[in-house]
Amino acid sequence: MDIAVATPLLGGLSPQVFMRRHWQKQPMLIRQAMPGVAPPLSRSELFALAADDAVESRIIEHRGASWTLRHGPFTRRQLPGVKQPAWTLLVQGVDLHVDAARALLSRFRFVPDARLDDLMISYATDGGGVGPHFDSYDVFLLQVHGRRRWRIGRLADASLQPDVPLKILSRFEPEEEWLLEPGDMLYLPPRWAHDGVAEGECMTCSIGFRAPAKDEIGREVLQRMLDVDEAGAAPVLYRDGSQAATDSPARVPATLQAFAAEAVLRLAENPKAVACALGEWLSEPKPSVVFDAGAPVEDGGDLLLDRRTRMLYDEEHVFINGESYRAGGADAALMRQLADHRALSASQWRRASEDARRLLAEWAEAGWLHRATATEEP
């Protein structure tokens, strides 16, 4: 994608202009963002996916003021009938299981992959929805089948309805309302209240983004740095040769507190180690992801990353599925090409060094990438 070129996906704006004007700032309704769009999978295929133990799914039913929530997996008999009104099936991470969903998610890679989370599909019968709520992350809501009426408004009051198994706002004040048809899309920044109700049977794709909390990032990065530090040089042990005899043995020594603070600061003051640990964490697949053993790649074949693979890079490293590798020179450029385009042509990876080719072969055998088939393009 040329980020400087206007696109129907963003209502005639270029990705550069959209990010400057709307991203994390204000909502945007985009009529016919994807003209002629088709659902990534059929209703029956979505129902089958919801029966998979490895897939996160939920059913929400609404009757008057009553809401019920059930967690999957669901057999077909456990799903309400399609003629029954006011129920919703939510299926998370469809991009991990369906190539068409992964391709749809890739349309939004003008936002860094480190922020891109997943594609969720919401199937609803007439009157179905999840109630007025807000999200803590950015979201694109793409209508792919049927119609859904959306009402949105600024979040004036975040209080929730009591005794309800969902986070439903108790005082939702809509400011705007639209009926979305297939191909229409709504962008919402974090903490914008919204309520979508199906008018007839419908299917909506939600493209969601990661918004990790500061304490979560700190905890995860420090833990990875500690794991690496433990595997390194011999540990530096606390010593207190100047410790005097004490008549308050339960008091924590100030010197031990200072020793602990110095240890934490030593980790945090190494920016390269912080960057490496962050990249590993950001590229870690979701816990439910399991890769199938792959096949060896042969010379002359185009390579594609598996749809479940997360691959990132920084100035000194390449990160893939929670692992980090130092890279420089021509090999670094090759790996960055693979990460950015999720593919390498045969002519591109033929020029790789022996070490890089060995690494690509290892990733292929692990199922992280594969040789492109006749119907796939590099």
Side-chain angles (χ1 to χ4, degrees):
M1 177 183 292
D2 187 336
I3 60 173
V5 174
T7 171
L9 180 67
L10 299 172
L13 301 181
S14 69
Q16 287 178 333
V17 173
F18 171 83
M19 296 297 285
R20 187 168 64 248
R21 290 184 185 175
H22 292 274
W23 182 253
Q24 299 224 318
K25 300 175 186 70
Q26 59 181 327
M28 183 177 182
L29 173 68
I30 306 161
R31 294 294 185 187
Q32 291 304 289
M34 293 189 187
V37 68
L41 70 176
S42 67
R43 180 180 69 188
S44 60
E45 290 170 333
L46 185 69
F47 288 177
L49 196 59
D52 192 326
D53 288 336
V55 177
E56 182 183 348
S57 58
R58 291 163 287 165
I59 288 176
I60 297 166
E61 297 181 75
H62 180 211
R63 293 186 181 88
S66 174
W67 294 86
T68 60
L69 169 67
R70 290 186 285 146
H71 292 272
F74 304 103
T75 65
R76 181 63 185 88
R77 294 193 174 200
Q78 291 175 313
L79 296 174
V82 296
K83 301 296 184 182
Q84 177 181 318
W87 68 273
T88 297
L89 171 67
L90 302 176
V91 181
Q92 297 280 162
V94 181
D95 55 289
L96 300 175
H97 306 277
V98 179
D99 285 336
R102 174 68 227 191
L104 182 57
L105 184 68
S106 293
R107 297 283 300 273
F108 298 85
R109 293 184 71 215
F110 53 85
V111 180
D113 284 349
R115 291 275 275 119
L116 197 57
D117 190 16
D118 76 341
L119 185 143
M120 180 185 77
I121 292 185
S122 169
Y123 166 85
T125 58
D126 185 51
V130 300
H133 65 285
F134 70 93
D135 299 315
S136 59
Y137 50 84
D138 304 83
V139 64
F140 289 93
L141 300 162
L142 174 66
Q143 196 65 23
V144 295
H145 173 70
R147 305 191 302 176
R148 189 184 293 270
R149 185 170 298 277
W150 287 100
R151 297 182 299 154
I152 73 167
R154 293 174 179 80
L155 184 63
D157 185 344
S159 60
L160 304 176
Q161 293 185 18
D163 304 321
V164 174
L166 302 165
K167 292 182 178 180
I168 297 177
L169 293 169
S170 58
R171 295 181 179 87
F172 173 51
E173 298 180 3
E175 300 172 22
E176 297 187 81
E177 178 176 324
W178 303 288
L179 180 64
L180 270 63
E181 307 270 358
D184 294 341
M185 185 169 71
L186 177 62
Y187 164 72
L188 293 174
R191 298 183 67 82
W192 269 79
H194 52 288
D195 182 26
V197 178
E199 295 196 357
E201 182 185 59
C202 85
M203 198 180 291
T204 306
C205 289
S206 298
I207 294 88
F209 294 82
R210 300 176 74 175
K214 186 179 290 186
D215 58 350
E216 179 189 11
I217 285 186
R219 182 171 57 251
E220 295 291 344
V221 167
L222 279 175
Q223 184 58 60
R224 282 185 176 271
M225 293 173 70
L226 286 169
D227 291 343
V228 171
D229 198 55
E230 289 173 359
V236 177
L237 303 181
Y238 172 69
R239 303 186 65 176
D240 56 354
S242 60
Q243 174 67 55
T246 181
D247 57 2
S248 51
R251 182 187 294 275
V252 177
T255 52
L256 184 53
Q257 292 174 329
F259 181 80
E262 181 184 351
V264 173
L265 287 173
R266 181 179 62 82
L267 290 173
E269 289 176 349
N270 185 341
K272 292 185 178 180
V274 170
C276 184
L278 176 62
E280 289 178 353
W281 177 61
L282 290 171
S283 67
E284 187 77 43
K286 294 190 176 183
S288 62
V289 170
V290 177
F291 289 92
D292 303 317
V297 292
E298 302 175 4
D299 288 351
D302 299 325
L303 300 181
L304 298 177
L305 290 180
D306 184 87
R307 62 175 176 262
R308 295 162 291 189
T309 288
R310 295 184 65 89
M311 188 173 184
L312 308 169
Y313 61 84
D314 64 15
E315 292 301 319
E316 297 188 3
H317 302 88
V318 170
F319 309 102
I320 183 169
N321 294 333
E323 303 287 339
S324 62
Y325 303 86
R326 292 188 65 87
D331 284 345
L334 185 78
M335 294 302 182
R336 291 170 185 173
Q337 170 80 14
L338 176 59
D340 280 334
H341 297 273
R342 300 188 63 82
L344 286 178
S345 67
S347 61
Q348 287 173 321
W349 79 280
R350 192 182 296 121
R351 297 192 297 268
S353 70
E354 184 177 339
D355 287 343
R357 290 164 68 87
R358 186 182 304 115
L359 198 56
L360 291 170
E362 290 176 4
W363 294 349
E365 292 182 7
W368 295 359
L369 56 80
H370 63 270
R371 185 175 180 180
T373 64
T375 59
E376 295 174 317
E377 295 183 3

